């Protein structure tokens, strides 16, 4: 999974790095790194949080953050287990092919936001 951080709308950013009015969330994000999960079809947001805590350096992520689902908003830590498999849940929220399919050739894009 590729980990992306959502850029706040009010943040000043270079027009060279992203378009001023992004058409999709992936256009308005920063690549923080990647993780591998035990199962692309069964892993939950909670599994991804655990993998991020063990696989990424401490300075890769904001101090306080939540997962962000385009069109829906932030995912609470209580929802991370309840929403079920992450890939299936995200497939139901968008038809955009840039989301990825969870393979190494087309990794699933997971968005986090600083809180």
């Amino acid at each position: 999974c590729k980990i992306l951080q959502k850029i706040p709308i009010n943040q000043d950013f270079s027009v060279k790095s992203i378009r001023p009015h992004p058409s999709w969330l992936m256009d308005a994000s920063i690549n923080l790194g990647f993780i591998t999960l035990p199962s692309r079809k069964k892993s939950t947001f909670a599994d991804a949080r655990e993998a991020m805590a063990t696989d990424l350096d401490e300075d890769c992520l904001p101090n306080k953050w939540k997962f962000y689902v385009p069109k829906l908003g932030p995912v609470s830590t209580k929802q991370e287990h309840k929403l079920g498999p992450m890939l299936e849940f995200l497939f139901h929220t968008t038809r955009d092919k840039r989301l990825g399919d969870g393979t190494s050739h087309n990794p699933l894009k997971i968005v986090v936001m600083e809180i």
Side-chain angles (χ1 to χ4, degrees):
C1 296
K2 192 174 190 178
I3 311 300
L4 304 172
Q5 181 178 350
K6 180 179 181 294
I7 297 173
I9 292 173
N10 62 352
Q11 183 170 333
D12 186 25
F13 52 82
S14 167
V15 175
K16 293 178 185 174
S17 63
I18 66 172
R19 289 179 275 173
H21 299 288
S23 61
W24 195 65
L25 184 61
M26 299 311 165
D27 296 332
S29 58
I30 302 166
N31 185 350
L32 300 179
F34 69 94
I35 58 169
T36 56
L37 295 170
S39 171
R40 72 183 184 102
K41 294 192 178 197
K42 294 181 182 177
S43 293
T44 64
F45 285 101
D47 296 327
R49 180 179 289 275
E50 186 177 316
M52 291 163 69
T54 59
D55 294 351
L56 298 178
D57 292 334
E58 292 79 26
D59 62 349
C60 287
L61 293 166
N63 288 331
K64 293 182 84 177
W65 60 272
K66 290 184 182 226
F67 290 105
Y68 182 85
V69 176
K71 297 184 182 179
L72 293 179
V75 176
S76 75
T77 51
K78 294 176 182 180
Q79 292 173 312
E80 289 180 10
H81 287 285
K82 290 173 44 175
L83 294 176
M86 185 171 46
L87 181 65
E88 180 182 341
F89 180 79
L90 291 172
F91 272 173
H92 291 299
T93 65
T94 185
R95 293 183 185 160
D96 196 313
K97 302 251 186 260
R98 292 183 286 178
L99 176 68
D101 62 10
T103 64
S104 58
H105 295 292
N106 189 14
L108 177 65
K109 279 75 171 183
I110 301 174
V111 181
V112 298
M113 63 178 285
E114 187 170 10
I115 55 171

